[in-house]
Amino acid sequence: MRGALGLVAAHEAAGVQPERVGGKGSQLGYLLRYGLPVPDFFVVPAEWSRQRLSGIPASLRESLSSELERRRWRDIPLAVRSSAVGEDAAGASFAGIYRSCLNVMGLDALCAAMAEVWASLDAPAAATYRERMGIECEPVMAVVVMPLLAAEASGIAFTCDPLSGRDDRMVVHAHWGLGETLVGGQAAGDEYVFAEDSTDTWRLVEWRSGSKATMAVPALAGGTQRVAVSPERATTAVFDAARAEALAGLLRDAAVAFDFVRPFYDLEWVWDGSRFWLIQARPVTRRPHHTYEALRGQPTIWTRGNTCEVMPEPLQAMDWNFSRRGCNDLLEQGWRLMEYPLLSGVQRAGLFDGRLYLEASVLQWEAWDAIGLLPERFNALMGGHQPVIETPPISWRSRLARMARTLRYLRNAPGMGRRGDAEVERAHAIARELQAASLPEDATAITALLHRLIKPAREFAGMFFLQGSGGGSLSLLLDTLERAFPGESAAIGSALLAGGEASVTAEQGYALLTLARLAKAATTPERPLDDPAFATAFADFMARYGHRGHYETYLRSPRWHEQPEQLLEQLPALGEVDAAAMRARQKAAAQAAWGRIRRELPFWYRFLLRAQVKAANRDSNRREAARSALIALLAAGRRLWLLIGERLVRDGTLHRPDDIFHFLPAEVFRYADGSLPQNGLRARLAARKTLFAVWQATEVREWFVLAPSGAGVAAMVAANGPPTETVLGQIFAGVATGTGVGRGRVRRLTHPSEGMALQPGEILVAPSTDPGWTPLFLKAGGLVVETGGYLSHGAIVAREFALPAVVNLPGILGVLKDGDTVEVDGIKGTVRLL
C-alpha cells in the first residue's frame, strides 16, 4: 500500500506529517535522524484507527503480514505502542493514558494488540484528559511496532528536575527488567540525580535506592509477568556511577538534539546488557518556573536591556552553551562574596527568538533583597525599559542584614579583586598558549585541550567577580551624588570619571591613535605596513589587542588578528583626531565637577567622593580588563574549534569550518569518540541552520512579561515595540552616560564595519556598542545608542573619553535620519532634534 495508508518505516517517520505517524512515532523518527540509538520500527498510520470499531481491515492485515515476513519479525517478541496524534507533545503528554502491549508474537497477536491499543482512544480516562486539555479534534492513533528489547534494566528520565523545574539537574529512575513497573507506578526503583560540572559533563551527585522487590519480564504465553528480584539485586544499585553517567550523557544528547535551547525531555530507555536504547521521548509538560519564593505569583520579566549591547544578533548553539551558564557565573559572584543566600539552580539567562535575555525579575529581587537597591535604580544601571517587580516593606531586620552584607562585601572584595587580577593574567597566558597550540590527532587529546580552555572560563570566580560585580562601587558613588545633587548624579559621576586612569579599552583607543599618527607619517601612508616603524608598532598592537573584534562575544565573529584590514582602514580618519583636544575635554569635565563639589558641599564630603571616584574608576577598569581576558579565551577557543571544523570539512561532515558553532561542545566530543554518527550530526546542523534563519528574520522585542506560571505554563501578558513613549516632541529622553553637550550631524551605523562612513565630529547613532566600536568613539562628536545602561561598555568608554553620550533609546535609529542635526546632552540624558 502507498499514500497515507502505507506503513511508515523508521527512517521515514521524521519526514512525514506528525498527523500520520502520531506523537511517539514522530519523536522516535527524529531520535533516529539525529543519530540516537533507537530500535528499528515501523508505524501503522493513524488513518487506520478510524476503522477501529470494525476490526483490523483485511488489507492492513495483509500489509502487516508482509512486513513481519520481510523483517523476519514473525517469531520474535514485539512491543506495540500507542502513537496518538497530539501524544507526547509539549502541551499534552497523555502519559499513562493510552495502552501499549509488550511481548506480542505473531500476526494474530499483533492484530489483537493493535485493536487493544486503538480501543484505548475511547477509554473514559482518555476522553476526560482530552476534555481537560481542551482538545476537540477527532482522536486518531498511529501504532508503533518494534522488537521487544531484552531489558536487563530500564527506566524513565527527566532532563531537568520535574518537581522544582531546575535545569541544572537531571533525574533518572532505573529498575531491573522491563520498564512497566516504573511507568505504571508499581515500583520506585533507584533514583539518580546528575549535575553539570565545569567541563559540561553530567556527574552523579545523588543516588537513592528504591523498591525493587519485583520486576517485569516477558511471559511465555505473551504479555509480561512479575517475578521476584534476587535479594542481592534488590538492595544494590542498578548502575555504578560510570555507567549511570554514560546514560546521563546519552539522555542529555537526545534532549539537546531536539531542542538545545530548552532541552527538557521525558525519555524512556532500556539497557540490554551491552548498550542503551531510547524507546520514547516527549517534552516535559508544565515545567515549574524555578524562582525565589517572593517572586511566585508575580509576572516573569525578561529583558535584552543589557545583553543586546554585546550580543544583539541570534546566538548559535555554541554561543548559547557559553552564555547559559556564563551569565550566572558573572552575576552571582558579588552576592556570594557578601554571603547572600542565593537560590541554587536559578537560571538568569534565556534564549527567545534566538536572542539572549536576562530574567530581570530575579536580578531586581536579588539586588533589592541583598542591598536594598531599588528596582527602578537597578534598571537604570542595567539598561532597558522593562517594568519592575513588587517589593515588600523594609523591616528593621532587613536593614540590619543588608548592612551586614555590605560590610562583608567591603571586607572581602579587595581579596577577591586581587584574585581576579591574577586570574586575568592567567587567562591571557592560557589564551596565548592555546593560540599557538597545534590540534592533536587523537580525539581524547583534543577533548583534553579544549577542557584546558573551558575550565578556566567556568572556574575563574575572581575574574567573573570583576566582570559581573564591577558596578558595586559605581553604584555607591551614584548614591552619594544623588543625595547631594538630586537628579544630576549620572552626569556629575560621568564628569568625575572622565580622564581617570585608563581602562584597557581606552588604552586600546589611545594606541590606535598612535598607530594612526605613525601611518600618517609613513613613507607611503596608503601602505603603512611597508614602513618598518609602523609594522613593528602594528605587530605590538596585535599581540596585545588582536583578540578583540567586532561583536567579539560571538564565537563566530572574526578577530582583528584575523582581519587586520578592519583596523587599517580606520587609521586615515583617526589620524585627523586631535588627541590633545580630547584630553583637554576630559580634564575640563573633571575640573568643572570638582569645582562644583568644592563650592556646594562640605569639605569632608570631598574625601568621601575622592575615595569613591577612585574605587569606581578602578572597578570599571577591572571590569574592562576581565572582559578582555574572557574574550582572549574565547578567541583561543574560536581558533581551536575552527581547526576542528576544518577537519570535519575534510571528512565530508561539514561544508564550512564555522558550521561547527551550530553544535554544542558535547555533541562534537560525542562525534569524535564515535558515540554520534556522521548522519546524526549533519541532521542536527541542517535543522539548526533552518532555525537560525527563522531567528534572523524575527522581529525583536526589547522586553516581555510572562504571567505567573505556577504549574509551568506561562502566557505572555505584555511585550514592547519601539518605545515611542520616550519621544517628547523633538526631544528623546534616555540615560545620561557621557559628559557635556555636543552638536553635530547624525550618522547612523548598524555595525562597526561601516565605520568609514563616520566623519570626524558627527554624532554616532548605533543599535549597540562593544569594544569593536571603540575606534569610532575617537572621532565621533557624540554618541547615541539604542541599548545599554550606566554600566554598559559604551557608557564606560564614553565617560573615559568625556564624550557626550545618551544610551537606552530603543527605536531611535528609526526616528533619526543621516544628516539630521542633533544636540546630545550628556548631562540631562536627552537628544534634541534641531
Side-chain angles (χ1 to χ4, degrees), residues 1-8 20 42-69 74 80 107-108 110-115 118 141-143 145:
M1 287 179 297
R2 298 179 180 177
L5 297 178
L7 302 180
V8 180
R20 187 179 173 197
F42 67 84
V43 183
V44 180
E47 184 67 24
W48 286 108
S49 69
R50 289 192 165 94
Q51 304 182 42
R52 58 187 178 274
L53 298 181
S54 304
I56 303 295
S59 56
L60 175 57
R61 184 182 176 91
E62 181 181 345
S63 293
L64 291 172
S65 178
S66 299
E67 192 71 15
L68 294 182
E69 190 66 34
R74 192 176 293 276
V80 181
L107 178 61
D108 291 340
L110 172 58
C111 291
M114 285 179 49
W118 281 342
M141 178 183 288
V143 176
V145 181

Side-chain angles (χ1 to χ4, degrees), residues 299-316:
T300 303
I301 306 166
W302 290 97
T303 180
R304 296 176 69 234
N306 180 274
T307 60
C308 60
E309 181 193 37
V310 295
M311 296 186 114
E313 296 300 319
L315 278 65
Q316 293 168 302

Side-chain angles (χ1 to χ4, degrees), residues 447-594:
T447 301
L449 186 66
L450 288 168
H451 283 172
R452 175 96 173 90
L453 175 78
I454 292 171
K455 289 195 68 165
R458 298 286 193 215
E459 296 181 350
F460 278 12
M463 188 172 73
F464 284 127
F465 166 73
L466 298 183
Q467 172 70 50
S469 303
S473 56
L474 182 57
S475 179
L476 290 174
L477 171 63
L478 294 179
D479 286 343
T480 302
L481 290 172
E482 188 64 24
R483 288 192 293 271
F485 304 102
E488 300 180 76
S489 58
I492 296 175
S494 295
L496 292 174
L497 292 168
E501 184 178 347
S503 70
V504 65
T505 310
E507 289 177 350
Q508 169 187 304
Y510 297 138
L512 271 176
L513 291 178
T514 300
L515 283 177
R517 289 194 296 272
L518 288 173
K520 189 175 182 179
T523 306
T524 52
E526 65 277 7
R527 297 194 309 276
L529 285 172
D530 293 344
D531 186 285
F534 177 86
T536 299
F538 191 72
D540 291 342
F541 180 92
M542 282 298 181
R544 187 169 185 184
Y545 304 112
H547 61 283
R548 312 304 293 263
H550 298 161
Y551 291 114
E552 59 196 12
T553 312
Y554 294 104
L555 280 165
R556 66 176 182 261
S557 295
R559 313 295 151 155
W560 283 339
H561 66 74
E562 298 174 64
Q563 297 181 346
E565 62 275 9
Q566 292 179 347
L567 292 176
L568 292 172
E569 67 184 10
Q570 294 287 337
L571 295 182
L574 292 178
E576 305 303 318
V577 172
D578 188 342
M582 181 176 66
R583 292 186 183 277
R585 187 173 70 228
Q586 296 168 341
K587 184 177 180 180
Q591 287 179 341
W594 283 115

Side-chain angles (χ1 to χ4, degrees), residues 39 77 79 146-152 178 218 269-272 277-279:
M146 64 171 55
L148 180 67
L149 297 172
E152 182 175 313
L178 297 171
W269 56 269
V270 170
W271 167 253
D272 68 3
W277 298 91
L278 301 178
I279 58 172

Side-chain angles (χ1 to χ4, degrees), residues 92-104:
S93 70
F94 286 89
I97 299 295
Y98 294 133
R99 183 85 169 92
S100 290
C101 299
L102 305 181
N103 197 26
V104 175

Side-chain angles (χ1 to χ4, degrees), residues 601-616:
L601 298 181
F603 75 93
W604 56 266
Y605 230 114
R606 301 171 209 164
F607 294 102
L608 173 63
L609 284 171
R610 287 192 184 278
Q612 289 185 336
V613 168
K614 183 178 180 180

